[in-house]
Amino acid sequence: MSEKRDQQARRREQLEQPVQIRYVSPADAPVLDAIVDGSAVKATMSETDAQRREKVESLLGLLDAVGPDESGDEQEAGVRRAIAAVQAARQRERFATQVQMLTEPEPTLGVGWRQVAMAAAAFVVAVSLLFPVLEHNRSEARRIACASNLQQAGMAFGQYAAANNGMMPRGHVQPGSTWWNVGQQPDHEHGASPSNTAHLFILIRQRYVEPETLACPENSAAFVQQLTQNQIDWPSPDAVSYSYQNQYTSDPLRLSRSGHAAVLADKNPLFVMGASGMSFDEKTPRTAASRIHDGRGQSLLTADGGVRWTVSPMLRIPGRGDSTNFWVADGVKTFTGRELPSSPDDSFLVP
């Protein structure tokens, strides 16, 4: 208690000392004197002096708020309230500075949040515009890789023909047997190949090509694994990427036949796998493009070794002035899986 009384006594002594105004500007001093003397009338002041009076009176208002605190000390209460007022003013100043920093560009980087938001929006728009272009480029790259596969397959066909009297790859054929049973075992009684794809698979079995060569990059289910023991065909229709010239003819087809004839192309879209097995899709137009490339077209290998991209399955026959559809046999309307090419020059790629 004695220490507190000493502090209060020292404060009273300080208050009794002559008041020296150190922080009032020379221009504000006359206004302060006028307020203290009560000699100035606000209505008769100039506009500048009136503004100064308002500023000085706001400072003096801190003294008006002084009252006794819990201990009854008016001076100590005034000091505390003045400090609190100063702290509140500083807090308002800090808040205003933070708001200004958010709404104005950062002086060190030269970029504000609005610029960042605009840049992000522009990036999103650019990506949305570029994505179709990038996807098209990837699709185009896969199409080129598919054409490269057929070029390698064409060389393999030539090597096989050179070693087999000019014939295309062909296993044992049982007249009247079904050619769309992909992945099934051969007929044990006759030893006939169960599907047309088994004839094409000879190129893989005899190591003329690797499985990757006959796997289109657009076919996610394509067979690219190592061969299993005694494997003679693709494991399922989905694993097949390319349709091969129908080999179920009475006489073996030779690669030296008309050069325009189709030999291999992306999978025929007219024969599809359903719950009951392979069937002919009556709803799909006969001139539709392969589903492998999302219906855009198909890569095609012809008997002369040429590879090209075509959007239609119609092939023009040189010297005849007409065309043939390599998805179907000429003149056949209904397909049950046993149909044959109508002639040695009829391109009919299955399954």
Side-chain angles (χ1 to χ4, degrees), residues 62-322:
L62 295 173
L63 299 178
D64 295 336
V66 173
D69 61 2
E70 296 178 355
S71 64
D73 193 329
E74 296 183 356
Q75 289 80 7
E76 185 169 348
V79 172
R80 290 178 179 176
R81 288 173 179 164
I83 293 174
V86 172
Q87 290 177 341
R90 289 180 176 177
Q91 178 64 26
R92 288 194 296 272
E93 183 179 358
R94 284 194 296 268
F95 179 76
T97 302
Q98 292 173 352
V99 172
Q100 186 176 11
M101 290 174 62
L102 290 174
T103 55
E104 292 184 357
E106 174 64 36
T108 56
L109 299 178
V111 179
W113 69 270
R114 285 197 177 99
Q115 288 81 359
V116 173
M118 292 175 63
F123 177 77
V124 171
V125 172
V127 169
S128 64
L129 294 176
L130 288 174
F131 184 79
V133 176
L134 295 175
E135 180 61 26
H136 173 76
N137 289 342
R138 286 194 292 266
S139 179
E140 183 68 10
R142 290 191 292 266
R143 185 187 69 80
I144 293 174
C146 177
S148 176
N149 283 354
L150 291 191
Q151 289 175 343
Q152 296 179 62
M155 291 187 289
F157 274 110
Q159 294 169 358
Y160 182 91
N164 293 274
N165 297 321
M167 292 193 302
M168 297 183 186
R170 169 185 168 119
H172 179 65
V173 173
Q174 176 66 27
S177 60
T178 304
W179 41 254
W180 63 22
N181 294 324
V182 181
Q184 294 187 13
Q185 293 299 315
D187 182 346
H188 293 293
E189 181 179 353
H190 302 94
S193 298
S195 71
N196 196 62
T197 55
H199 300 299
L200 179 62
F201 203 80
I202 292 174
L203 290 179
I204 298 177
R205 286 171 51 201
Q206 297 186 12
R207 304 296 181 181
Y208 284 95
V209 296
E210 294 299 323
E212 292 83 355
T213 302
L214 296 179
C216 178
E218 291 275 18
N219 182 10
S220 59
F223 175 78
V224 294
Q225 293 81 13
Q226 294 296 320
L227 301 185
T228 59
Q229 188 176 9
N230 299 324
Q231 184 174 355
I232 65 167
D233 198 359
W234 276 268
S236 67
D238 289 342
V240 179
S241 297
Y242 301 107
S243 289
Y244 178 42
Q245 170 64 28
N246 191 316
Q247 296 295 317
Y248 288 77
T249 57
S250 55
D251 296 323
L253 297 176
R254 298 183 180 276
L255 197 64
S256 58
R257 67 191 184 132
S258 300
H260 73 274
V263 174
L264 198 65
D266 286 296
K267 190 190 292 187
N268 190 326
L270 304 182
F271 299 97
V272 296
M273 191 66 184
S276 58
M278 188 76 71
S279 64
F280 180 73
D281 187 359
E282 297 283 356
K283 296 181 180 180
T284 300
R286 296 193 175 199
T287 56
S290 175
R291 304 175 196 269
I292 292 289
H293 294 278
D294 296 327
R296 300 189 308 273
Q298 52 276 321
S299 296
L300 172 68
L301 171 68
T302 52
D304 59 3
V307 175
R308 67 178 183 272
W309 173 260
T310 175
V311 298
S312 169
M314 304 304 296
L315 274 180
R316 184 173 298 278
I317 303 176
R320 288 175 43 180
D322 58 355

